[in-house]
Amino acid sequence: MMSDRRLEALQIRRDAAELASQRVHPDHVSNHEELRYRDAQNKPTHIANFTKGLPHDPKTGFLTSAADYQRFVRGIDSGDERDFRDTPVGPPGFAASGRDKPEWKSALASNFKRGGKAQAHETPGAKVRAWESAGAGLTFDLQGPDAQAVTMPPAPTLDSRELVAEMLEVYEMALLRDVPFAEFASSPKVQKAITRLNNTPWIGNTNLAGLTPAEQSRLRATLTPQTVFRGITPGDEVGPYLSQFLLIGNKGLGNGNRLTDGFIQYGAIRIDQRVRVATPKKDYMTTWEAWVDVQNGADVRGAETYVDEPKFRFIATPRDLATYVHYDALYEAYLNACLIMLSLGVPFDPGIPFLESDRLDRQQGFAQFGGPHILSLVTEVATRALKAVRYQKFNVHRRTRPEGVGGLLNLYANGQTAGVEVMETLANGFGNDFLKEIAEHNAEQNRIHGDRQKDANNGFENSFLLPMAFPEGSPMHPAYGAGHATVAGACVTILKAFFDHGAQLLDPDTCEPICYQPSAKGDQLIPCKGPSKPLTVEGELNKLASNISVGRNWAGVHYFTDYIESVRLGEAIALGILEEQKLTYGENFSMTVPLFDGGTVRI
């Protein structure tokens, strides 16, 4: 009867809610740096924290007022939009000026025209950016772990050995953005970076004392050309750098495409795996004026430039990957991967129903345990991931972005050490030779780009700022955790739950293993010479999550810890959703889900 169904539906919802309520809400622990660093008046400087958008002194880059930071935190804690309206934004004095646009220091922000030209009613000049969803971690959800029921360990501190390795890595990546992935194994520049990274105490040293379990899990083995700048999950080290799911397409209607054409069929239309080609060897935020404008919230998004020929190509260089993660729709790579696997006929997890022939099962998976079910769920987890990671970002850690640490290093290396004495560890870890390389790279950037010659670089002799792939630098939210990586962890976990994670990727026509990599020019996909191990569904999905996450590191907007701890966060969210959803189905089924740390969970 209808009343029985109504009561049964109510009980199912209660059971799912009870399951969710039994999850222990953990303590959320930061690294204790927020109030650690002080000025001459013993007021917190918050140099280890995300302060982008608040007013900064144009000479020092420090906050003009510690009280502004407390207003910022007040709005984060309350979630009340009125508190944010009381928080100053932009350069010093702008919030009270009543002007639509600030007076910027850099030529880029002062002359910025959205879309390349000012509208008839507009004057040139960048507007200020607002913070992004600072209250999202306070919202509630009706499915999956509560945003505050999952957590991340404390982030590395500014004077830690781990941060030296992280910042050295992100600077090395910035200087290598235009080396084709196909040439990593033979590139002297890449080998030089590997040598420097392996010389840090954090990499290749498994005997460090006094580490927390979380820190121990993040130690990395000695790097090689095959493992450098990759993730550390199962399969990351196998085969070419890029996951096949970022390269190949599917056959589409009427066998209209080859896998190597790179077209993914969306119904009767198709999309192209090729990306728009950003101008090579052009980085941003390499003058102090541009850096401080961005810290003051200059909205110069869209100021990057692109080449006319070729307009598009397969992801061939780290800069191409950075462009992909600059404009992706967060879950698009995983939706694409799902479509590709469905087209390839990748088998489902053996525990899922309806895997026998139609003659035996008498029904096919569709709304449950079929393509539409998986395609919708792989995107559905993304919003839950974003809410959970926003709580970590804003409410717990408030970690400064790599560009922020680059500003501190720039002060210290130029002899302006007051207030940034903590940078001694990082500067010594970089060494004079690498600091010189950074200064030379930035000097060349500032010489060849005419608008930067108008910047005075604050009178500094050299620029040791982190060269950024995006003119606006990072998004308007703290570094830890990473939104892209948390979404990656959640979406990939869903795919590993539904598909047979141990299956190889095979060409449906030839039954041969699929393994391609982009040519150095990105104009075609070429067969691999042969990976040491087969490319599996689990490995290529893990690699996909790492590619997207680490792609943000290639852009300069995230650290390694942002990646690895965030994919683990996303994994926990997806597992929780799967546990609750299992209660809603009548079929007797199971899913075996491989974890990023190498373990397995059975749902």
Side-chain angles (χ1 to χ4, degrees), residues 90-149:
F94 169 68
S97 70
R99 296 191 303 269
D100 181 51
K101 296 177 182 177
E103 295 179 2
W104 301 110
K105 301 296 181 181
S106 68
L108 177 62
S110 297
N111 301 321
F112 178 73
K113 303 173 184 177
R114 183 166 299 280
K117 61 181 180 180
Q119 302 299 316
H121 61 283
E122 288 187 329
T123 58
K127 294 185 177 182
V128 295
R129 298 172 70 186
W131 297 288
E132 297 174 15
S133 294
L138 303 179
T139 61
F140 292 92
D141 225 315
L142 299 178
Q143 184 179 202
D146 182 73
Q148 298 176 32

Side-chain angles (χ1 to χ4, degrees), residues 263-472:
F263 294 115
I264 302 173
Q265 203 75 27
Y266 272 65
I269 64 173
R270 66 186 188 184
I271 66 164
D272 193 343
Q273 291 269 41
R274 294 163 183 81
V275 299
R276 190 74 169 91
V277 182
T279 304
K281 300 181 180 180
K282 186 175 183 181
D283 300 319
Y284 301 90
M285 292 175 58
T286 53
T287 71
W288 180 260
E289 284 75 14
W291 180 87
V292 80
D293 278 350
V294 167
Q295 302 318 301
N296 281 331
D299 189 356
V300 290
R301 289 175 293 180
E304 74 275 4
T305 59
Y306 300 89
V307 300
D308 291 329
E309 187 60 38
K311 286 185 180 293
F312 295 90
R313 68 183 180 192
F314 289 105
I315 297 172
T317 67
R319 192 178 299 278
D320 293 339
L321 183 57
T323 299
Y324 184 104
V325 298
H326 195 185
Y327 289 107
D328 60 325
L330 284 186
Y331 59 71
E332 72 177 54
Y334 321 107
L335 182 64
N336 291 344
C338 189
L339 287 167
I340 290 170
M341 286 194 289
L342 290 170
S343 174
L344 292 177
V346 172
F348 289 162
D349 183 289
I352 289 178
F354 316 139
L355 300 185
E356 300 292 342
S357 68
D358 286 1
R359 181 179 64 84
L360 296 175
D361 277 337
R362 307 296 172 92
Q363 62 176 317
Q364 298 176 340
F366 192 81
Q368 84 273 45
F369 309 111
H373 182 185
I374 307 170
L375 287 166
S376 58
L377 186 55
V378 77
T379 63
E380 184 181 339
V381 297
T383 182
R384 275 86 178 181
L386 286 177
K387 292 172 183 175
V389 76
R390 278 303 192 277
Y391 186 78
Q392 297 300 309
K393 282 176 176 290
F394 281 104
N395 297 80
V396 182
H397 303 286
R398 293 191 278 272
R399 186 187 192 186
T400 187
R401 293 278 183 164
E403 69 193 46
V405 178
L408 303 179
L409 178 65
N410 184 69
L411 292 171
Y412 186 92
N414 275 299
Q416 193 170 315
T417 60
V420 293
E421 294 86 354
V422 67
M423 285 291 102
E424 180 180 6
T425 301
L426 184 59
N428 290 342
F430 273 34
N432 291 331
D433 288 345
F434 190 49
L435 288 172
K436 182 180 178 182
E437 283 188 36
I438 297 166
E440 290 174 349
H441 175 90
N442 288 348
E444 179 67 5
Q445 288 286 315
N446 298 338
R447 184 188 66 80
I448 62 178
H449 299 297
D451 61 333
R452 303 181 199 182
Q453 296 170 17
K454 300 176 183 178
D455 294 353
N457 203 31
N458 203 33
F460 292 129
E461 181 179 356
N462 294 298
S463 169
F464 300 99
L465 298 165
L466 175 62
M468 304 296 291
F470 313 149
E472 75 276 14

